Amino acid sequence: MVVCFLASPFLNYNSIFSGKVPVQLQLVEAPQFQDGAFLVRDSSKKTADEPYVLVVFYGNKVYNIKIRYLLESQQYALGTGLWGNAKFDSISDIIKFYKTFPIILIDGKDQSGTQKEQCILTYPVTENDIKHLWFFNPC
């Protein structure tokens, strides 16, 4: 699968938007990135209400967090809404906020929902980072 980097009308800066990112790359390469590394990719569902996913690398794990689009307010929110419903005017605003305040990371495999981590977004995984990993470690 080819990694695409697309411009998005919802982002103020395109370096964090990675379009389609192979899931195998996310899973295999998590240890390559420092805690708090992140990128925004297309959602596999690619629906109007769940257009993107915030991918956060933390503790040698990959956390995929839905970015929901709230049509009524024309804003964005993270996750399912069960653990809060902070709203943002843009995806860039989400990134700026969580570069200052910790984001709660919930392990999707934890049925109890008690295994939570927190981290601050530290740096975007860039197109060059992914191209480098993809070239040297194809999935």
Side-chain angles (χ1 to χ4, degrees), residues 74-93:
Q74 296 188 350
Q75 292 178 303
Y76 294 91
L78 292 181
T80 61
L82 295 175
W83 298 97
N85 206 18
K87 297 175 185 174
F88 300 89
D89 291 329
S90 69
I91 295 173
S92 293
D93 288 346

Side-chain angles (χ1 to χ4, degrees), residues 5 11-18 38-40 124-127:
F5 289 83
L11 301 174
N12 290 336
Y13 47 98
N14 295 326
S15 64
I16 63 168
F17 184 69
S18 301
F38 66 93
L39 60 87
V40 175
V125 175
T126 66
E127 179 179 4

Side-chain angles (χ1 to χ4, degrees), residues 53-130:
V53 173
L54 173 62
V55 180
V56 179
F57 299 90
Y58 182 80
N60 291 331
K61 289 185 179 181
V62 179
Y63 294 87
N64 291 286
I65 304 164
K66 294 178 189 181
I67 299 177
R68 295 178 290 127
Y69 181 68
L70 310 171
L71 187 58
E72 211 170 275
S73 63
Q74 296 188 350
Q75 292 178 303
Y76 294 91
L78 292 181
T80 61
L82 295 175
W83 298 97
N85 206 18
K87 297 175 185 174
F88 300 89
D89 291 329
S90 69
I91 295 173
S92 293
D93 288 346
I94 293 172
I95 301 304
K96 288 176 193 171
F97 182 83
Y98 289 111
K99 280 187 159 190
T100 304
F101 301 98
I103 188 169
I104 296 174
L105 305 171
I106 300 171
D107 188 338
K109 295 177 184 174
D110 175 27
Q111 298 295 332
S112 67
T114 59
Q115 293 183 7
K116 298 177 192 171
E117 300 285 349
Q118 291 186 14
C119 82
I120 291 175
L121 300 180
T122 55
Y123 72 95
V125 175
T126 66
E127 179 179 4
N128 286 337
D129 294 334
I130 292 177

Side-chain angles (χ1 to χ4, degrees), residues 34-54:
Q34 295 176 3
D35 288 348
F38 66 93
L39 60 87
V40 175
R41 66 169 174 82
D42 284 328
S43 170
S44 56
K45 292 182 181 181
K46 196 59 177 161
T47 60
D49 59 337
E50 290 182 14
Y52 306 109
V53 173
L54 173 62

